[in-house]
Amino acid sequence: MVRQTHLQASRATGFTTLELLIALTIVGLLISVAVLSWYDHAVAKERRHAWLALQDVADWQLGQQRQFGQFSTGPLPIRQSPAEGDPAYTLSLAPQAVKPNSPELVFPASDAAGFTLQATPADAEDPCGVLLLNHLGQRGVTGAKPLRDCLPK
């Protein structure tokens, strides 16, 4: 009968330190990818809600024009997105002309004859920047990202 030494017995039944480090590294990478994916999804969801809020305010403005013959320059019915809790975006009328990242457009200042709605992100690092929607239904952004990447999907 052959006797196994203590070292041989422990190697046969357990993992080596190298195997554990490799497994932990893989798990760490998977977790980091999942967290980044979740964050991107959350930012896209907040942006989608801001676009919907802008559209709701634009519809309200068009109703004001039909009813009173001009667009409202007063307070907006929706001032933040989401409506409850901490705002991800603050909605307002543009007090002056706004230049989006698209060179062929300029969004005019809001007055009784036309309006530019803007949704300013709470996160100053947002690559889309300020979201814009005017009385003609034109959309724009002021950030570095192109408009097509900032629209809801």
Side-chain angles (χ1 to χ4, degrees):
M1 184 187 264
V2 178
R3 293 178 93 178
Q4 286 186 332
T5 66
H6 177 67
L7 183 60
Q8 290 172 333
S10 68
R11 278 197 180 167
T13 61
F15 295 106
T16 66
T17 305
L18 181 60
E19 290 169 333
L20 286 173
L21 284 175
I22 289 171
L24 289 174
T25 301
I26 291 170
V27 168
L29 288 172
L30 291 173
I31 289 172
S32 66
V33 167
V35 167
L36 289 175
S37 177
W38 175 83
Y39 178 75
D40 288 345
H41 172 73
V43 168
K45 180 180 174 185
E46 288 174 348
R47 191 175 297 126
R48 183 172 46 253
H49 284 283
W51 280 118
L52 291 172
L54 283 175
Q55 189 60 56
D56 287 346
V57 174
D59 291 343
W60 175 80
Q61 280 282 48
L62 293 171
Q64 294 292 304
Q65 184 194 37
R66 279 191 300 277
Q67 187 174 2
F68 302 110
Q70 64 184 18
F71 296 112
S72 173
T73 56
L76 300 177
I78 303 172
R79 295 192 184 127
Q80 74 176 41
S81 177
E84 302 289 323
D86 294 332
Y89 286 85
T90 303
L91 279 62
S92 62
L93 290 168
Q96 58 196 20
V98 181
K99 183 84 173 106
N101 65 6
S102 172
E104 66 275 1
L105 288 176
V106 173
F107 286 76
S110 298
D111 58 23
F115 65 84
T116 296
L117 298 170
Q118 52 189 15
T120 306
D123 178 8
E125 302 291 319
D126 188 321
C128 290
V130 177
L131 310 178
L132 304 167
L133 177 63
N134 69 13
H135 62 282
L136 300 174
Q138 296 171 317
R139 296 174 183 236
V141 293
T142 61
K145 249 186 176 181
L147 175 62
R148 70 179 173 276
D149 293 342
C150 298
L151 291 172
K153 295 181 174 55

